[in-house]
Amino acid sequence: MTFLITWQLHQGKLHPILAHFSQLTEEQDQTMMGDDIKMVGRWHDLVSGTGVAICESDSIEAISAYALKWNNDMDISVQVVVDDAQARMLGSRLLV
């Protein structure tokens, strides 16, 4: 499954969280995610304290556990998303 994760840092948390994140190595970040999550990409709007990530995983539990490691400092939304091929396949079922 592919997940769209968005976040909004809580007021006053931008600088401490950015300082913490900047000290994480890629290996430490992957360890926090665990073996069941593949990070496709992550983008940050540092001025507004928001961001978006695309992850792949077969485990909603793994995604939830990763989000819970950060949600004390930010509001996080997790949504399952599909790509064009999956959307077309699902849409073709509506043509009955």
Side-chain angles (χ1 to χ4, degrees):
M1 290 180 280
T2 304
F3 296 89
L4 169 68
I5 303 171
T6 57
W7 63 87
Q8 170 71 60
L9 291 172
H10 296 160
Q11 188 70 28
K13 295 288 187 168
L14 174 61
H15 289 203
I17 293 302
L18 182 56
H20 170 73
F21 182 76
S22 70
Q23 297 301 307
L24 288 176
T25 65
E26 288 186 28
E27 292 79 18
Q28 290 169 322
D29 190 32
Q30 184 60 53
T31 298
M32 284 183 71
M33 282 184 268
D35 294 335
D36 293 330
I37 299 174
K38 176 187 173 198
M39 179 66 67
V40 175
R42 182 168 39 203
W43 300 266
H44 311 265
D45 178 348
L46 295 179
V47 174
S48 70
T50 62
V52 61
I54 302 292
C55 298
E56 293 176 347
S57 180
D58 291 330
S59 171
I60 187 62
E61 292 86 1
I63 295 290
S64 296
Y66 180 58
L68 285 170
K69 292 176 182 175
W70 292 100
N71 80 327
N72 193 50
D73 298 305
M74 62 190 77
D75 296 322
I76 301 173
S77 173
V78 177
Q79 298 170 283
V80 176
V81 294
V82 298
D83 63 19
D84 286 353
Q86 292 166 317
R88 286 185 179 104
M89 186 267 304
L90 291 168
S92 70
R93 294 179 184 173
L94 301 174
L95 300 173
V96 179

